[in-house]
Amino acid sequence: MFRSVEEVRNEIGKIVGFSPPFRVTQQKVDAFADLTGDYEWIHVDPVRAALGPFGGTIVHGYLTLSLIARFASEVFRLEFESATLNYGLDKVRFPAPLSTGSLVRAKVSFTSITDHPAGSLVAVRYILEAENVSKPVCIADTLLLALSASDPAR
């Protein structure tokens, strides 16, 4: 748990931690397809995908990315005086596919803190690693906006 921007600043460039492994099942992939309308066969048709380039279905990239919300809460908490908001993404890459049924975990680090008119922007890097995959399945640089205690938006 981090109670101030200064505590986070002291961890810049260090690995904050690793999330517990999480298994992405076909049921979760199918539920994501239902939610988003993305029924591409490589994600939802195990029979056809078994004959495809990956030997089975793969997880949607956006589903992989969305796991960051889960992993963040499992690795660290920012409990500052004021609210912390999701400010966005700087860069996202999917260097390797994530096979459905795989275990995936996140390696998390803080990469920078910069001033913002409403407070401080905390940059967080997530490197998602899957079992038996040599490359990361996702690398995402995210931004959290820690509102200043005097910010009128509070």
Side-chain angles (χ1 to χ4, degrees), residues 21-22 24 64 96-99 101-106 127-138:
F22 177 76
V24 187
T64 303
L98 176 59
S99 295
S102 295
L103 286 172
V104 62
R105 72 171 185 169
I127 300 176
L128 278 59
E129 304 168 328
E131 62 182 347
N132 303 317
V133 179
S134 61
K135 293 181 186 177
V137 296
C138 180

Short mmCIF file of all heavy atoms in Angstrom, two decimals, residues 21-22 24 64 96-99 101-106 127-138:
data_model
loop_
_atom_site.label_atom_id
_atom_site.label_comp_id
_atom_site.label_asym_id
_atom_site.label_seq_id
_atom_site.Cartn_x
_atom_site.Cartn_y
_atom_site.Cartn_z
N PRO A 21 -1.04 -15.89 -10.39
CA PRO A 21 -1.44 -16.37 -11.71
C PRO A 21 -2.96 -16.43 -11.83
O PRO A 21 -3.66 -16.72 -10.87
CB PRO A 21 -0.84 -17.76 -11.81
CG PRO A 21 0.14 -17.87 -10.69
CD PRO A 21 -0.26 -16.88 -9.66
N PHE A 22 -3.43 -16.17 -13.04
CA PHE A 22 -4.87 -16.19 -13.33
C PHE A 22 -5.07 -16.99 -14.61
O PHE A 22 -4.40 -16.75 -15.62
CB PHE A 22 -5.38 -14.76 -13.51
CG PHE A 22 -6.83 -14.67 -13.89
CD1 PHE A 22 -7.82 -14.87 -12.94
CD2 PHE A 22 -7.20 -14.38 -15.19
CE1 PHE A 22 -9.16 -14.79 -13.28
CE2 PHE A 22 -8.54 -14.30 -15.54
CZ PHE A 22 -9.51 -14.51 -14.59
N VAL A 24 -7.11 -17.95 -17.88
CA VAL A 24 -8.10 -17.39 -18.80
C VAL A 24 -8.76 -18.54 -19.54
O VAL A 24 -8.19 -19.10 -20.48
CB VAL A 24 -7.47 -16.39 -19.78
CG1 VAL A 24 -8.56 -15.71 -20.60
CG2 VAL A 24 -6.65 -15.35 -19.04
N THR A 64 -7.11 -9.53 -22.69
CA THR A 64 -5.80 -9.59 -22.03
C THR A 64 -5.50 -8.25 -21.37
O THR A 64 -5.13 -8.19 -20.19
CB THR A 64 -4.70 -9.96 -23.05
OG1 THR A 64 -5.03 -11.20 -23.68
CG2 THR A 64 -3.35 -10.05 -22.39
N ALA A 96 3.17 -11.49 -28.02
CA ALA A 96 2.90 -12.91 -28.26
C ALA A 96 1.43 -13.17 -27.95
O ALA A 96 0.85 -12.52 -27.08
CB ALA A 96 3.79 -13.79 -27.38
N PRO A 97 0.82 -14.14 -28.64
CA PRO A 97 -0.58 -14.47 -28.34
C PRO A 97 -0.69 -15.20 -27.00
O PRO A 97 0.24 -15.90 -26.58
CB PRO A 97 -0.99 -15.38 -29.50
CG PRO A 97 0.29 -15.96 -30.00
CD PRO A 97 1.35 -14.94 -29.74
N LEU A 98 -1.83 -15.03 -26.36
CA LEU A 98 -2.14 -15.73 -25.12
C LEU A 98 -3.11 -16.85 -25.45
O LEU A 98 -4.25 -16.59 -25.85
CB LEU A 98 -2.74 -14.77 -24.10
CG LEU A 98 -3.20 -15.37 -22.77
CD1 LEU A 98 -2.05 -16.05 -22.04
CD2 LEU A 98 -3.83 -14.28 -21.89
N SER A 99 -2.67 -18.08 -25.31
CA SER A 99 -3.54 -19.23 -25.60
C SER A 99 -4.62 -19.35 -24.53
O SER A 99 -4.34 -19.21 -23.33
CB SER A 99 -2.72 -20.52 -25.63
OG SER A 99 -1.81 -20.49 -26.70
N GLY A 101 -6.90 -20.83 -21.86
CA GLY A 101 -6.62 -21.86 -20.87
C GLY A 101 -5.30 -21.65 -20.15
O GLY A 101 -4.99 -22.34 -19.18
N SER A 102 -4.51 -20.68 -20.61
CA SER A 102 -3.21 -20.41 -20.01
C SER A 102 -3.32 -19.67 -18.69
O SER A 102 -4.28 -18.93 -18.45
CB SER A 102 -2.35 -19.56 -20.94
OG SER A 102 -2.05 -20.24 -22.11
N LEU A 103 -2.27 -19.84 -17.87
CA LEU A 103 -2.09 -19.02 -16.69
C LEU A 103 -1.31 -17.78 -17.10
O LEU A 103 -0.33 -17.87 -17.85
CB LEU A 103 -1.31 -19.76 -15.61
CG LEU A 103 -2.05 -20.85 -14.86
CD1 LEU A 103 -1.09 -21.61 -13.95
CD2 LEU A 103 -3.18 -20.25 -14.02
N VAL A 104 -1.74 -16.63 -16.62
CA VAL A 104 -1.06 -15.37 -16.92
C VAL A 104 -0.90 -14.60 -15.61
O VAL A 104 -1.72 -14.73 -14.69
CB VAL A 104 -1.84 -14.55 -17.98
CG1 VAL A 104 -3.23 -14.17 -17.51
CG2 VAL A 104 -1.07 -13.33 -18.44
N ARG A 105 0.18 -13.85 -15.51
CA ARG A 105 0.40 -13.00 -14.34
C ARG A 105 1.03 -11.70 -14.81
O ARG A 105 1.56 -11.62 -15.93
CB ARG A 105 1.30 -13.68 -13.31
CG ARG A 105 2.74 -13.76 -13.75
CD ARG A 105 3.65 -14.24 -12.65
NE ARG A 105 5.04 -14.18 -13.10
CZ ARG A 105 6.07 -14.34 -12.32
NH1 ARG A 105 5.89 -14.56 -11.03
NH2 ARG A 105 7.29 -14.27 -12.80
N ALA A 106 1.00 -10.70 -13.94
CA ALA A 106 1.58 -9.40 -14.27
C ALA A 106 2.78 -9.10 -13.40
O ALA A 106 2.76 -9.35 -12.19
CB ALA A 106 0.54 -8.31 -14.10
N ILE A 127 3.76 -5.88 -17.35
CA ILE A 127 4.27 -6.86 -18.29
C ILE A 127 3.56 -8.17 -17.97
O ILE A 127 3.76 -8.73 -16.89
CB ILE A 127 5.80 -7.01 -18.19
CG1 ILE A 127 6.47 -5.67 -18.50
CG2 ILE A 127 6.29 -8.12 -19.13
CD1 ILE A 127 7.98 -5.66 -18.34
N LEU A 128 2.68 -8.60 -18.86
CA LEU A 128 1.91 -9.82 -18.64
C LEU A 128 2.65 -11.00 -19.23
O LEU A 128 3.00 -11.00 -20.42
CB LEU A 128 0.51 -9.69 -19.25
CG LEU A 128 -0.51 -8.95 -18.38
CD1 LEU A 128 -0.09 -7.54 -18.05
CD2 LEU A 128 -1.87 -8.97 -19.03
N GLU A 129 2.90 -11.98 -18.37
CA GLU A 129 3.66 -13.17 -18.73
C GLU A 129 2.75 -14.39 -18.63
O GLU A 129 1.96 -14.48 -17.70
CB GLU A 129 4.83 -13.34 -17.76
CG GLU A 129 5.74 -12.13 -17.70
CD GLU A 129 6.73 -12.19 -16.55
OE1 GLU A 129 6.41 -12.77 -15.48
OE2 GLU A 129 7.84 -11.65 -16.72
N ALA A 130 2.89 -15.28 -19.60
CA ALA A 130 2.08 -16.51 -19.60
C ALA A 130 2.99 -17.72 -19.48
O ALA A 130 4.15 -17.69 -19.92
CB ALA A 130 1.26 -16.61 -20.88
N GLU A 131 2.44 -18.78 -18.91
CA GLU A 131 3.20 -20.01 -18.77
C GLU A 131 3.61 -20.53 -20.15
O GLU A 131 2.85 -20.43 -21.12
CB GLU A 131 2.37 -21.06 -18.03
CG GLU A 131 1.09 -21.47 -18.76
CD GLU A 131 0.25 -22.47 -17.99
OE1 GLU A 131 0.73 -23.05 -17.01
OE2 GLU A 131 -0.92 -22.64 -18.38
N ASN A 132 4.82 -21.03 -20.25
CA ASN A 132 5.36 -21.64 -21.47
C ASN A 132 5.42 -20.69 -22.67
O ASN A 132 5.39 -21.15 -23.81
CB ASN A 132 4.55 -22.89 -21.84
CG ASN A 132 4.53 -23.90 -20.71
OD1 ASN A 132 5.55 -24.15 -20.07
ND2 ASN A 132 3.36 -24.46 -20.44
N VAL A 133 5.48 -19.39 -22.42
CA VAL A 133 5.61 -18.40 -23.50
C VAL A 133 6.85 -17.56 -23.19
O VAL A 133 6.94 -16.98 -22.11
CB VAL A 133 4.35 -17.51 -23.61
CG1 VAL A 133 4.52 -16.49 -24.73
CG2 VAL A 133 3.11 -18.36 -23.84
N SER A 134 7.78 -17.49 -24.13
CA SER A 134 9.05 -16.80 -23.86
C SER A 134 8.92 -15.28 -23.89
O SER A 134 9.64 -14.58 -23.20
CB SER A 134 10.13 -17.25 -24.85
OG SER A 134 9.75 -16.95 -26.17
N LYS A 135 7.99 -14.77 -24.70
CA LYS A 135 7.78 -13.32 -24.79
C LYS A 135 6.59 -12.92 -23.92
O LYS A 135 5.69 -13.73 -23.69
CB LYS A 135 7.47 -12.92 -26.23
CG LYS A 135 8.57 -13.09 -27.21
CD LYS A 135 8.07 -12.61 -28.56
CE LYS A 135 9.04 -12.87 -29.67
NZ LYS A 135 8.48 -12.45 -30.97
N PRO A 136 6.53 -11.66 -23.51
CA PRO A 136 5.32 -11.19 -22.83
C PRO A 136 4.11 -11.29 -23.76
O PRO A 136 4.25 -11.17 -24.99
CB PRO A 136 5.62 -9.73 -22.50
CG PRO A 136 7.11 -9.61 -22.58
CD PRO A 136 7.56 -10.62 -23.59
N VAL A 137 2.94 -11.50 -23.20
CA VAL A 137 1.71 -11.50 -24.00
C VAL A 137 1.09 -10.11 -24.07
O VAL A 137 0.24 -9.85 -24.91
CB VAL A 137 0.70 -12.55 -23.49
CG1 VAL A 137 1.26 -13.96 -23.65
CG2 VAL A 137 0.28 -12.28 -22.06
N CYS A 138 1.54 -9.22 -23.19
CA CYS A 138 1.09 -7.83 -23.22
C CYS A 138 2.09 -6.99 -22.44
O CYS A 138 2.56 -7.41 -21.38
CB CYS A 138 -0.30 -7.69 -22.61
SG CYS A 138 -0.97 -6.01 -22.60
#
